[in-house]
Amino acid sequence: MTAPDRTRPASGVPTEVPTGVPTGAPAYIGEAARIGREVLHSTGTVVVGAEGALRLALAAVLAGGHVLFEDLPGLGKTLAAKTLAQSLGLDFRRLQFTPDLLPSDVTGSSIFNPVTREFDFKPGPIFAGLFLADEINRTSPKTQSALLEAMAEAQVSAEGTTLPLTRPFHVFATSNPIEFEGTYPLPEAQLDRFMVRLRFGYPGHDGEQDIIARRLSRRQDETMVARVTTAEGLLRLQAVVESVGVDDDVIDYAVRLTAATRSHPAVEVGASPRGSQALVLLGRALAVLDARSFVLPEDVKEGAVAVLAHRITLTPSSWAQGVATEKVVRDVLGEVPTPPTVHRSEHGTGHHG
């Protein structure tokens, strides 16, 4: 058997996770965790006081998912997306969503070329490594739906042709939860496509002072962070995450959490099976960020609110009473028994710690 190629590029991750490497091989996990720490440190130099949200956003990207930032204006949603893209070395495109935006403004359109006397397709901004749909709830459902195929299938159908998007491809979207005039709430089908919904909240007093001090020291509004890896490097990081095995007890715990949202008295429609799958996929990425080759129940708990809350529809009476879907998930976390700490050995046999 030929020894696997362990040549390391500039990003520090092997060119691939070689065939035959034990599930979650520590050498690859350690490198991925180191790069993850560097990305979070680099991003944290610009986005202040949002460590938890940034960690979940990075984990969602490593797990191959899309991210919805829903928060008040001025809390750094757009800045976080742009900074993560810079740190990950991804081609970044931002589109401000407005009521008059057309699907072709997102996907692209054909333009007549007088030289060739043919129509040439001009790709839209969605052809990027990280596409930011800014204020996604300000555009019409028709334009919002233009994102659905891209998010689900990593492809775009335009003018009778299906065009694949380059990988990695991720959608970050921002939404304002308090300003509803002239907005179009995201349909449940599109909300379900986002692996996580994240909120930053207001920074503390010291954090707000830090934001101002950093702006003064930069002497300009523009922010720039060092590139930690590349698009190809991110694909290798994602391959490392895919190599992490998950014990059956952890999978069962994720399924029980999701199922419990469906029977909660405040809920009309609970989270879908895509929610329980997202819990496990995000849990693998969080384990890698912690340099572990196995997933703990705590990884599932860490991502539960971000993964499940936006997949829940409240009953009309609960909604009228101001019940938050985040509270429903926290209730479920307190009610569903946590399994013992479990992980796999290199040979795939589970054992309890």
Side-chain angles (χ1 to χ4, degrees):
M1 178 178 173
T2 305
D5 179 13
R6 299 188 182 275
T7 303
R8 298 178 185 273
S11 66
V13 172
T15 54
E16 60 180 350
V17 178
T19 304
V21 170
T23 300
Y28 299 97
I29 298 290
E31 289 289 348
R34 180 186 63 79
I35 292 172
R37 286 193 299 270
E38 289 183 13
V39 169
L40 291 176
H41 174 75
S42 176
T43 308
T45 61
V46 172
V47 185
V48 178
E51 292 80 6
L54 288 174
R55 172 176 157 90
L56 288 173
L58 176 58
V61 171
L62 295 181
H66 308 291
V67 179
L68 174 64
F69 290 111
E70 185 177 279
D71 217 328
L72 305 173
L75 295 183
K77 302 183 296 295
T78 303
L79 179 62
K82 178 182 177 182
T83 307
L84 269 175
Q86 289 176 350
S87 187
L88 291 169
L90 296 178
D91 179 27
F92 176 75
R93 305 283 178 85
R94 172 184 175 271
L95 184 62
Q96 185 71 39
F97 277 44
T98 56
D100 60 348
L101 200 70
L102 299 174
S104 59
D105 294 325
V106 178
T107 61
S109 58
S110 293
I111 298 176
F112 183 71
N113 186 334
V115 176
T116 62
R117 303 191 66 80
E118 293 180 349
F119 284 91
D120 296 333
F121 182 75
K122 183 178 180 181
I126 201 168
F127 287 84
L130 198 156
F131 172 68
L132 175 61
D134 221 351
E135 295 193 282
I136 190 174
N137 58 330
R138 289 207 167 276
T139 197
S140 67
K142 183 176 182 180
T143 303
Q144 289 176 5
S145 66
L147 284 175
L148 271 178
E149 182 184 13
M151 294 171 69
E153 308 294 339
Q155 65 183 28
V156 167
S157 293
E159 319 221 351
T161 304
T162 299
L163 303 169
L165 297 168
T166 57
R167 292 181 183 272
F169 168 73
H170 297 277
V171 172
F172 279 22
T174 68
S175 178
N176 184 342
I178 62 167
E179 199 173 335
F180 296 112
E181 185 175 348
T183 64
Y184 304 84
L186 288 177
E188 299 301 323
Q190 187 155 336
L191 276 174
D192 205 34
R193 295 293 180 185
F194 289 99
M195 179 172 280
V196 294
R197 180 182 67 183
L198 302 173
R199 292 171 174 166
F200 291 150
Y202 288 114
H205 179 82
D206 291 343
E208 198 159 349
Q209 279 190 320
D210 196 14
I211 291 171
I212 297 170
R214 294 188 190 203
R215 167 60 183 87
L216 295 176
S217 67
R218 284 198 308 270
R219 301 188 178 186
Q220 60 179 13
D221 279 331
E222 187 68 21
T223 60
M224 183 66 66
V225 297
R227 187 181 71 182
V228 175
T229 185
T230 63
E232 293 75 17
L234 176 57
L235 288 175
R236 291 189 287 270
L237 291 173
Q238 291 173 339
V240 172
V241 172
E242 287 291 344
S243 76
V244 175
V246 185
D247 192 272
D248 289 342
D249 283 357
V250 174
I251 296 174
D252 175 67
Y253 180 54
V255 170
R256 285 187 289 113
L257 282 176
T258 306
T261 66
R262 302 166 194 159
S263 57
H264 193 283
V267 173
E268 183 172 318
V269 180
S272 69
R274 189 178 282 124
S276 52
Q277 177 172 281
L279 282 176
V280 174
L281 297 181
L282 187 71
R284 291 195 306 183
L286 290 170
V288 168
L289 289 177
D290 287 340
R292 277 185 281 105
S293 58
F294 53 90
V295 180
L296 296 173
E298 285 68 25
D299 298 318
V300 175
K301 287 183 177 181
E302 182 179 350
V305 172
V307 167
L308 297 179
H310 65 289
R311 292 182 161 92
I312 294 172
T313 302
L314 298 171
T315 62
S317 61
S318 299
W319 180 84
Q321 293 169 18
V323 175
T325 54
E326 289 85 355
K327 181 183 181 301
V328 171
V329 178
R330 293 189 184 99
D331 289 346
V332 165
L333 285 169
E335 294 166 1
V336 176
T338 305
T341 300
V342 176
H343 66 85
R344 294 179 182 271
S345 70
E346 287 190 353
H347 299 292
T349 55
H351 62 278
H352 298 258

